[in-house]
Amino acid sequence: MVMQTSAAPAGPLRRMPVQGRSLARVHRMLDACAELVDQVGYDGLTTTLLAERAGVAIGSVYQFFPDKRAIVQALTLRNLDAYLDRLSKRITDGQLHNWWDAVDAAIEEYIAMHRHVPGFRTLHFGDVVDVHLLDEERDNNVVIVDRLGSLLVEHFGLPDEPRLRFNLAIAVEIADGLIKYAFRRDPEGDELVLAEAKSLIREYLHRHVDSV
């Protein structure tokens, strides 16, 4: 499963693709990046390898990206947008009726990305490259917490308070660590560990968020 959005992530791009062909070329580069990091890792990734895999000239790569870090950053931002879009769709479609259902869904979508999205198991949301890959000022997981918190506040009426963000930050760190552990134990994700992760997070958030 290749995650694509209609627009390319603006942040790390030298210039935005304005034509359909240019946009398709950028997405081919990001798809090639995802495949290559699974095969050779971030350290083994080069712009030359990426250009060859994407079927574009090396000049086309540098037309849009200054270096391989920027390419990986764009891929990570695309994955983040796709993750949040899928979660938002489940909420707006009426599939999730309570905030804890949304938390379960957030974990399920994160697990699904590990299983099905090329490059995600290697890069996650960028921490393998830089803990500030998503935002220069904030930790990657803080960015995730802020986006998830906004969804819960908007759709389930939770109070937008610092305590909520703190509790979500703890939950995200627990989920991130245990899900990575599950995929180290089993390439498809150890089901016992994943079930334990969901149970721990639900219990923790019920104890603290309900009190908020």
Side-chain angles (χ1 to χ4, degrees), residues 138-186:
R138 298 179 296 166
D139 183 290
N140 295 329
N141 277 353
V142 172
V143 175
I144 306 299
V145 166
D146 284 347
R147 300 288 291 273
L148 290 177
S150 295
L151 283 176
L152 295 178
V153 168
E154 178 183 354
H155 293 285
F156 300 101
L158 293 182
D160 192 2
E161 298 177 356
R163 183 70 189 180
L164 173 65
R165 306 288 170 153
F166 174 78
N167 294 143
L168 286 176
I170 297 295
V172 165
E173 293 294 342
I174 293 170
D176 191 35
L178 286 177
I179 290 170
K180 287 174 184 174
Y181 176 56
F183 280 89
R184 289 199 305 270
R185 283 173 59 95
D186 183 332

Side-chain angles (χ1 to χ4, degrees), residues 12-163:
L13 286 171
R14 274 182 160 160
R15 72 179 186 84
M16 286 296 293
V18 293
Q19 296 181 336
R21 285 183 298 176
S22 296
L23 181 60
R25 196 181 317 135
V26 168
H27 279 301
R28 282 209 313 276
M29 294 179 205
L30 299 185
D31 293 342
C33 177
E35 294 172 4
L36 285 168
V37 293
D38 275 343
Q39 295 170 9
V40 302
Y42 178 72
D43 290 339
L45 178 68
T46 67
T47 52
T48 301
L49 276 176
L50 186 137
E52 292 173 353
R53 179 63 62 90
V56 301
I58 190 70
S60 291
V61 176
Y62 288 113
Q63 182 182 12
F64 293 103
F65 300 102
D67 50 34
K68 72 174 186 179
R69 183 187 184 280
I71 301 167
V72 170
Q73 185 181 18
L75 173 63
T76 304
L77 287 167
R78 187 178 75 170
N79 284 340
L80 176 60
D81 286 343
Y83 169 74
L84 292 168
D85 286 347
R86 287 172 62 87
L87 185 57
S88 295
K89 188 174 187 303
R90 290 179 67 172
I91 293 172
T92 56
D93 284 353
Q95 299 178 40
L96 312 173
H97 303 292
N98 303 288
W99 67 259
W100 53 86
D101 292 332
V103 169
D104 282 350
I107 298 169
E108 290 163 4
E109 293 295 342
Y110 190 59
I111 292 167
M113 292 187 74
H114 276 76
R115 286 176 171 155
H116 304 300
V117 177
F120 190 80
R121 193 179 304 191
T122 302
L123 296 172
H124 310 292
F125 281 126
D127 49 308
V128 172
V129 178
D130 184 344
V131 294
H132 295 114
L133 190 67
L134 295 175
D135 188 299
E136 291 183 1
E137 303 297 327
R138 298 179 296 166
D139 183 290
N140 295 329
N141 277 353
V142 172
V143 175
I144 306 299
V145 166
D146 284 347
R147 300 288 291 273
L148 290 177
S150 295
L151 283 176
L152 295 178
V153 168
E154 178 183 354
H155 293 285
F156 300 101
L158 293 182
D160 192 2
E161 298 177 356
R163 183 70 189 180

